[in-house]
Amino acid sequence: MNSEEIREPGARRGWLALAAMAAMLLMAAPAARAAECPDVINASAFASKARLHQMTAKFNSFGPRILGSPAHNQAIAWLEGQARSIGLRVHSTYFHPYTWLPRTRMKKGPGLDIGAAGAIRVRKQDGSILEVADAGAVHWSKPTSSKGEGGPLVYLPADQQITAENAAGKVVIRDFRIGSIPFGVVGSLLGLYQTPDLEGTTDYARPYLSPNIHADQLDASAAGANGVIFVFDLPASQIRGYYDPHVGMIYRQPAVFVGRSQGERLKELAGRGTSARVVVNANLARRKTRNLIARLPGQSNEKMVMVANTDGTSWVQENGVIGMLAFARYYAKLPLRCRPRTLELVFSSAHDSYRNDGMSPRHYPLDKKRIAFGFAIEHLGTREVIPTGEGTSRHLAFTGAADPALFGAGDSDALREAAVEATKRRNLPRTAVLKGLSVPNPDQAPSICSMGGLGNSFQPELVPTLAMISGPWSLYDPVFGEKAIDFGQMRKQVLAAGDTVLALDGLPRAEIAGEYPALQAELDAGTKTPCPETDVFPQRAPGPGGV
């Protein structure tokens, strides 16, 4: 034997030993990653409730963030600074929506005051003028001069539609009606899991569901009315500055809100042949705003997109941006090996104007090839406020409970299982994990189009969707301020949202996608129809004759 033949067995054994060692290392790598990379958030390393409170207070310190206002712009700039301090890569996309801005300013603190932007003057039969206190101008109603617009004062109850015959040239008094969702039916139809403390919840009644705040103004515009006065069956002090509707359509008449006692007085005066003038002290113009987009690169270009809007006038609308920042700060501290995908935060603008929402495809085109899932985070930690009492004693009061929350999870078992597990793990109060928030239509893809709020930016486009949202009285009613939020509860929800992201981040994209590719194939084949578009309506409400 030559020397090479003599050494060959030893060499083979050496290579075999090295190969075995390499295989062992490869087998150990996933285990090492699992040991080092968290499956759930370490709560002790996460923002405290005091820190969440502090950040939310800062976000609100600039004043009401009415779309396009200086306060709104300052708040976005602050968010940008926070994102950069975390190490996120930041850019902005700009657009020019219509904005509706009060010309009145807050007497205490910075910012514009919608609660002071209205006025009502009634001319009695003897010619004397009576000033009736209002609770604020109606968002997107027609701005006027200081003289206002007016005509004969008339009260039309809910069973009478506003028409040209009964409203043309007149100022119409209308009761503000509260809308509701049959929660018991929704839960049985769409439920995946409900926390035990939701047992017995039936109708969910909230003002943002009002069936007439938008419809009455459409009718009044078409009828040629000269003004609308909406009456809340509540003290004026509890609805001052109420900030709705949010459709973004510009109405053709001025409108204001009043409280119960002022409404009763106006109805009495309407029966005596009086006239009234309604003033809306606001400006209507296109202004520049921006979506702020912040990214933390991961091991791949696949994106997990989280979104919340930046505009609003209450502490509730929108504290989701604070939750997103808190999660991003935690996630950014994880080593790159623990971040398989890129995290993208979208701080979107113009949610005050659904028609021009910053999450519409015009302003945020969805990169469906790269988005693994979209996650809307809205209205966190909300405390339940409901009307209580009867007659003149009826008022809003905290119940001591959390406002019911939705954790929506779309057409994917991975999404649904992650949402249920996070809800249970963090012991979220009064939470319903649902498939969505609309009646299923088997002829559509997807069959459930609504996720509530900004989740609707993803679900109808067949992007795997999660949505955490509530809709309390305090959503558009700013008088409750910071009392509207339980920051301990908010922290639990942000932890649950973060747990869900971590759980999905480690899964293959095909597993996250679930049924969405099959739904897209049905849509492409024409066997199913897409979700109806929700923002297709004119910029201005049609006037008499449809003009």
Side-chain angles (χ1 to χ4, degrees):
M1 294 184 181
N2 59 35
S3 60
E4 289 182 358
E5 289 176 325
I6 293 171
R7 289 195 298 268
E8 187 179 12
R12 284 181 177 175
R13 284 194 295 271
W15 283 112
L16 288 171
L18 287 172
M21 185 179 297
M24 291 175 65
L25 288 172
L26 288 171
M27 292 173 63
R33 182 193 181 282
E36 296 175 12
C37 298
D39 294 323
V40 297
I41 290 178
N42 177 1
S44 66
F46 199 76
S48 66
K49 70 176 184 179
R51 177 58 178 160
L52 294 176
H53 188 172
Q54 180 186 40
M55 292 175 69
T56 308
K58 181 62 178 180
F59 185 58
N60 283 273
S61 67
F62 307 104
R65 297 171 308 283
I66 302 172
L67 172 61
S69 67
H72 183 212
N73 296 334
Q74 290 165 10
I76 296 174
W78 178 79
L79 290 172
E80 180 174 356
Q82 290 294 302
R84 291 188 185 279
S85 73
I86 294 170
L88 306 184
R89 299 177 182 177
V90 176
H91 73 278
S92 295
T93 58
Y94 293 85
F95 56 105
H96 292 77
Y98 272 103
T99 63
W100 185 100
L101 296 174
R103 294 191 291 263
T104 47
R105 301 192 63 82
M106 302 289 287
K107 291 183 178 179
K108 295 182 179 179
L112 305 178
D113 186 4
I114 191 173
I120 305 169
R121 301 186 185 99
V122 177
R123 180 180 292 275
K124 297 182 179 180
Q125 286 182 310
D126 62 6
S128 62
I129 302 297
L130 175 67
E131 298 268 355
V132 178
D134 68 290
V138 175
H139 193 207
W140 295 111
S141 66
K142 179 183 178 180
T144 71
S145 69
S146 59
K147 294 182 179 180
E149 295 187 6
L153 188 62
V154 59
Y155 169 57
L156 298 178
D159 60 357
Q160 294 185 36
Q161 185 176 358
I162 298 174
T163 65
E165 288 72 24
N166 61 23
K170 298 177 181 178
V171 173
V172 178
I173 304 170
R174 203 72 163 166
D175 292 313
F176 183 95
R177 289 184 284 144
I178 309 301
S180 65
I181 296 173
F183 195 86
V185 175
V186 169
S188 61
L189 183 66
L190 303 172
L192 297 166
Y193 170 75
Q194 292 187 24
T195 55
D197 50 6
L198 278 177
E199 186 70 32
T201 303
T202 53
D203 281 353
Y204 177 80
R206 297 295 185 271
Y208 80 93
L209 297 169
S210 172
N212 73 310
I213 181 64
H214 173 61
D216 280 358
Q217 293 190 92
L218 284 179
D219 289 344
S221 295
N226 281 355
V228 179
I229 300 171
F230 287 100
V231 181
F232 272 90
D233 185 17
L234 291 165
S237 61
Q238 290 197 311
I239 48 95
R240 187 187 186 281
Y242 190 75
Y243 190 51
D244 205 23
H246 284 69
V247 174
M249 183 182 287
I250 301 165
Y251 304 110
R252 291 181 175 267
Q253 64 286 320
V256 293
F257 294 116
V258 297
R260 177 178 50 245
S261 61
Q262 293 81 10
E264 290 174 352
R265 178 65 171 141
L266 287 166
K267 291 174 186 178
E268 178 188 353
L269 290 166
R272 298 181 182 178
T274 57
S275 64
R277 300 191 73 83
V278 176
V279 176
V280 169
N281 194 6
N283 290 321
L284 185 65
R286 287 190 181 274
R287 286 176 177 257
K288 184 168 70 173
T289 189
R290 60 173 169 148
N291 288 339
L292 176 68
I293 300 169
R295 292 194 185 109
L296 179 68
Q299 295 179 58
S300 74
N301 287 329
E302 283 187 10
K303 296 191 297 186
M304 308 176 295
V305 180
M306 301 179 77
V307 59
N309 61 283
T310 56
D311 44 336
T313 64
S314 71
W315 278 56
V316 172
Q317 173 81 311
E318 177 55 71
N319 64 358
V321 296
I322 304 303
M324 288 179 8
L325 284 174
F327 173 71
R329 190 171 294 278
Y330 174 87
Y331 191 69
K333 292 179 181 178
L334 299 180
L336 182 61
R337 65 178 177 274
C338 298
R339 306 198 311 266
R341 295 184 174 92
T342 293
L343 176 66
E344 180 167 287
L345 307 183
V346 183
F347 302 94
S348 66
S349 188
H351 199 46
D352 282 357
S353 173
Y354 296 155
R355 188 182 187 279
N356 294 294
D357 197 297
M359 286 302 292
S360 74
R362 299 187 300 277
H363 309 311
Y364 182 76
L366 290 178
D367 186 355
K368 294 175 68 172
K369 291 183 179 180
R370 291 180 56 201
I371 299 177
F373 62 90
F375 197 166
I377 311 288
E378 304 177 79
H379 321 151
L380 304 175
T382 54
R383 301 173 62 201
E384 187 176 51
V385 182
I386 60 173
T388 185
E390 300 293 334
T392 58
S393 297
R394 182 178 168 86
H395 66 284
L396 294 173
F398 289 105
T399 65
D403 202 71
L406 161 71
F407 198 165
D411 298 76
S412 160
D413 287 342
L415 298 180
R416 293 171 178 178
E417 290 169 7
V420 170
E421 286 304 311
T423 300
K424 292 179 178 179
R425 181 185 300 110
R426 297 301 177 180
N427 194 26
L428 299 187
R430 303 190 79 193
T431 299
V433 184
L434 304 178
K435 300 173 184 177
L437 201 59
S438 61
V439 176
N441 182 342
D443 297 324
Q444 289 179 171
S447 62
I448 301 169
C449 291
S450 177
M451 282 287 172
L454 290 170
N456 296 339
S457 306
F458 303 108
Q459 178 71 1
E461 300 299 323
L462 293 175
V463 172
T465 305
L466 293 160
M468 184 178 284
I469 189 171
S470 66
W473 260 93
S474 53
L475 176 59
Y476 299 141
D477 192 350
V479 299
F480 297 97
E482 63 185 290
K483 293 180 181 179
I485 301 173
D486 179 332
F487 288 93
Q489 176 190 328
M490 177 181 174
R491 185 172 187 266
K492 283 185 176 182
Q493 288 179 304
V494 180
L495 287 169
D499 287 350
T500 304
V501 172
L502 293 181
L504 296 172
D505 199 8
L507 295 181
R509 188 171 176 184
E511 188 173 345
I512 295 172
E515 298 298 317
Y516 285 97
L519 293 170
Q520 184 66 60
E522 290 179 315
L523 204 60
D524 294 341
T527 57
K528 295 286 180 71
T529 59
C531 294
E533 295 186 59
T534 57
D535 61 351
V536 180
F537 45 79
Q539 181 70 72
R540 296 178 185 271
V547 179

